[in-house]
Amino acid sequence: MSQRTFSIVKPDAFRKGFTGAILAEMAKAGFKVVAIKKASISKVQAAGFYAVHKERPFFDSLTTFMSSGPIVLMVLEKENAIADLRKLMGATNPANAEDGTLRKLFAASIEENAVHGSDAEDTAAFEIGYWFAGYELV
Ligand code: ATP
Ligand code: MG
């Protein structure tokens, strides 16, 4: 059954001009774009999005990074979208990411790692609703 997931082109990748190449890899892997928009988010908005990580030592740095420049927010759809996007992204730390993954191709460090992808059905639902209104998802 077709499934939706949520993804972000993070500020490092946007800044380096990788947005088009990342979208091309996603299309090649069979993802359809349900919704897409560019945004420059505040540190408070980033903190709300990454609230699950608020006790982590990297939280302040992560929210500063995510609000450091434009990003691209996306809702993507395909069969098994959540797991398949995680596979396409590769490991959180690009040093551990497999060849051909988005983070191997486009990421610089464990923090500046180019893309986000939801990790489960409940987080995908929260993340889509956090950034997109229902009328944007038709
Ligand atoms: P994302 O949620 O962005 O898709 P992920 O699920 O692979 O990434 P998480 O553990 O959820 O990884 O961490 C969220 C984000 O926080 C990472 O993508 C990265 O940008 C940053 N991050 C994670 N671990 C570290 C770390 N040890 N040091 C600095 N930043 C980190
Ligand atoms: Mg995560």
Side-chain angles (χ1 to χ4, degrees):
M1 212 186 70
S2 182
Q3 186 183 53
R4 288 179 176 185
T5 191
F6 173 75
S7 185
I8 301 178
V9 175
K10 294 187 181 183
D12 58 316
F14 187 92
R15 208 176 281 132
K16 293 171 186 165
F18 291 152
T19 301
I22 290 170
L23 288 172
E25 293 297 323
M26 289 168 167
K28 224 186 293 173
F31 291 91
K32 301 267 182 277
V33 176
V34 176
I36 185 165
K37 59 188 175 188
K38 179 186 169 202
S40 293
I41 67 170
S42 69
K43 192 170 161 86
V44 169
Q45 288 176 313
F49 174 66
Y50 275 125
V52 290
H53 294 313
K54 65 177 183 294
E55 305 303 333
R56 303 280 202 96
F58 57 80
F59 183 70
D60 186 66
S61 175
L62 173 62
T63 54
T64 296
F65 163 58
M66 289 301 292
S67 56
S68 68
I71 60 177
V72 178
L73 307 164
M74 290 169 279
V75 178
L76 302 173
E77 190 169 87
K78 77 184 283 293
E79 298 264 310
N80 207 28
I82 295 170
D84 284 0
L85 180 62
R86 298 289 298 188
K87 209 183 298 167
L88 180 66
M89 285 162 47
T92 306
N93 186 344
N96 303 327
E98 286 182 40
D99 283 348
T101 61
L102 297 176
R103 283 169 169 165
K104 182 73 172 197
L105 290 167
F106 303 113
S109 73
I110 191 168
E111 180 172 87
E112 304 210 346
N113 61 3
V115 286
H116 164 82
S118 307
D119 60 11
E121 273 186 43
D122 58 340
T123 49
F126 165 76
E127 292 172 1
I128 290 168
Y130 190 81
W131 295 113
F132 288 93
Y135 69 84
E136 295 178 283
L137 301 171
V138 290

